[in-house]
Amino acid sequence: MRPYILAETNWKALKDEKFDLAILPWGATEAHNYHLPYATDNIQADYMTAEAARVAWERGGKPIVLPTLPFGVNTGQSDIYLDINLNPSTQLAILTDIVEVLNKQEVYKLLIFNGHGGNNFKPLVRELGYKFPKMFISFCFFPGVLDKDLYFDEKGDHADEMETSLMLHLRPDLVLPKEKWGDGASKKYKIKSFSEGWAWAERKWSEISKDTGVGNPHKATKEKGERFFKDVTLKMGDFIYELCKADTNDLYE
Ligand SMILES: [Zn+2]
C-alpha cells in the first residue's frame, strides 16, 4: 500500500491525514497505432504520477495521487472505432466537482497531470481559478518535461518511438510483436500556415494516418523507455515536492 496513492490507501490512514497537493492524472482511451493498447495514455499517466509522487514523498512532500481519468478529448477521432470522446465542457464539469471537494476540504493545491495531447486544460484552469480563488491549480504535459530529441531518434506525437519505448518498459505484455507495428506515417495540411504553428485547426485523424500513429516507432526500445521514464519522473518528483512546499501567497520573485 503506497500512502500517496488514494486508490490504495484507506480511512484508517486518512482520517487524521493532511495532504499538501492533489495530483489528478488524466489520459484518454484511443487507438495507438496497431500495436499499443487503447489505455496507453492512462498507463503512462498511472506509472509516471505514482513514481514522481514517490520521489516527492520520500523527500518529505505530501502529495496524494487521485485515480486516473480514463477518457479524454477525442473530437478528431469520431470515426475511429471505440475512441471514446469526452468533450471539453464535460471535462470542466468533472474538474469543477473535484475542485469543489478539494476546496471544501482545504486541499488547496491541484496538479493535473495530462497524458493526452487532445486535452487542453489551460482555459479550464483559468475558469476554475476564477471561481475558486483559494485554489492553486496547475497542469503539466509529460512529453514536454525533457528534450525528447536527447532520448529518441524519430519525431512524432502519437504512438511514436517515445510512447512505444515507454510501453515496452512499463507494460511489454500489452505491446504487439514488432512485425505488427505500423510505420506511423502521417499527412500534413496543404495550407502551410497550419504547420508553422501560428494557425491551428483540428486534424481529422483517420485522413492523416492509416495506422492511427503519428511518428515512426521502429527504433523504440525498452532501454530508451526506461531512461526517459526515470529522468522524467525524477524531474517531476522535484516539481511536485516544490509545489507541496510552496507558499501560494508568495509565489513570485
Ligand atoms: Zn498516447
Side-chain angles (χ1 to χ4, degrees):
M1 182 212 97
R2 294 169 290 183
Y4 46 86
I5 307 282
L6 184 58
E8 294 182 10
T9 190
N10 48 59
W11 176 235
K12 174 92 183 138
L14 291 198
K15 66 184 180 47
D16 302 312
E17 186 60 284
K18 283 268 171 276
F19 292 102
D20 301 322
L21 167 76
I23 302 170
L24 179 63
W26 205 313
T29 298
E30 59 172 350
H32 272 76
N33 199 321
Y34 296 127
H35 61 288
L36 297 179
Y38 268 53
T40 292
D41 292 352
N42 303 328
I43 292 167
Q44 290 171 163
D46 270 346
Y47 278 85
M48 282 186 174
T49 46
E51 177 55 16
R54 186 190 67 78
V55 170
W57 184 271
E58 283 178 3
R59 285 185 60 186
K62 282 264 177 161
I64 183 79
V65 180
L66 310 184
T68 300
L69 275 154
F71 303 124
V73 176
N74 279 87
T75 42
Q77 288 120 334
S78 57
D79 55 349
I80 295 178
Y81 194 52
L82 292 181
D83 273 22
I84 306 293
N85 173 53
L86 211 62
N87 283 318
S89 52
T90 314
Q91 286 189 313
L92 180 61
I94 292 171
L95 268 174
T96 303
D97 285 356
I98 293 172
V99 169
E100 205 154 25
V101 171
L102 296 173
N103 187 58
K104 207 176 231 176
Q105 302 192 355
E106 300 175 357
V107 182
Y108 289 127
K109 295 173 191 165
L110 169 66
L111 171 66
I112 302 161
F113 175 94
N114 185 17
H116 168 63
N119 296 335
N120 178 11
F121 291 109
K122 203 183 270 187
L124 312 188
V125 167
R126 287 187 198 276
E127 187 163 338
L128 287 163
Y130 183 66
K131 282 186 186 150
F132 298 92
K134 282 190 178 167
M135 293 293 303
F136 182 76
I137 307 169
S138 58
F139 69 91
C140 64
F141 184 46
F142 80 84
V145 172
L146 297 166
D147 181 358
K148 275 172 72 177
D149 292 347
L150 301 176
Y151 294 81
F152 306 103
D153 298 300
E154 302 274 357
K155 293 209 184 304
D157 60 32
H158 185 67
D160 57 351
E161 186 184 333
M162 177 196 71
E163 286 202 295
T164 303
S165 298
L166 279 170
M167 292 304 285
L168 285 171
H169 168 52
L170 300 172
R171 289 297 305 269
D173 56 313
L174 297 178
V175 181
L176 286 181
K178 198 163 181 175
E179 60 273 16
K180 306 250 165 58
W181 302 2
D183 61 10
S186 64
K187 290 180 184 165
K188 291 194 170 71
Y189 271 110
K190 289 176 181 166
I191 301 166
K192 295 291 166 252
S193 300
F194 289 123
S195 311
E196 289 171 13
W198 59 275
W200 185 86
E202 186 168 62
R203 294 172 285 183
K204 189 159 193 230
W205 217 265
S206 58
E207 288 178 20
I208 63 149
S209 171
K210 209 172 107 222
D211 54 34
T212 79
V214 173
N216 192 339
H218 278 80
K219 289 186 179 160
T221 66
K222 179 180 181 309
E223 290 71 27
K224 286 180 182 174
E226 188 175 0
R227 191 176 147 241
F228 186 68
F229 179 82
K230 232 172 142 182
D231 291 354
V232 166
T233 50
L234 257 180
K235 190 167 171 185
M236 273 184 41
D238 286 342
F239 168 53
I240 289 169
Y241 174 76
E242 246 187 306
L243 268 181
C244 284
K245 296 291 172 190
D247 174 358
T248 51
N249 294 311
D250 183 22
L251 287 170
Y252 311 104
E253 57 185 14

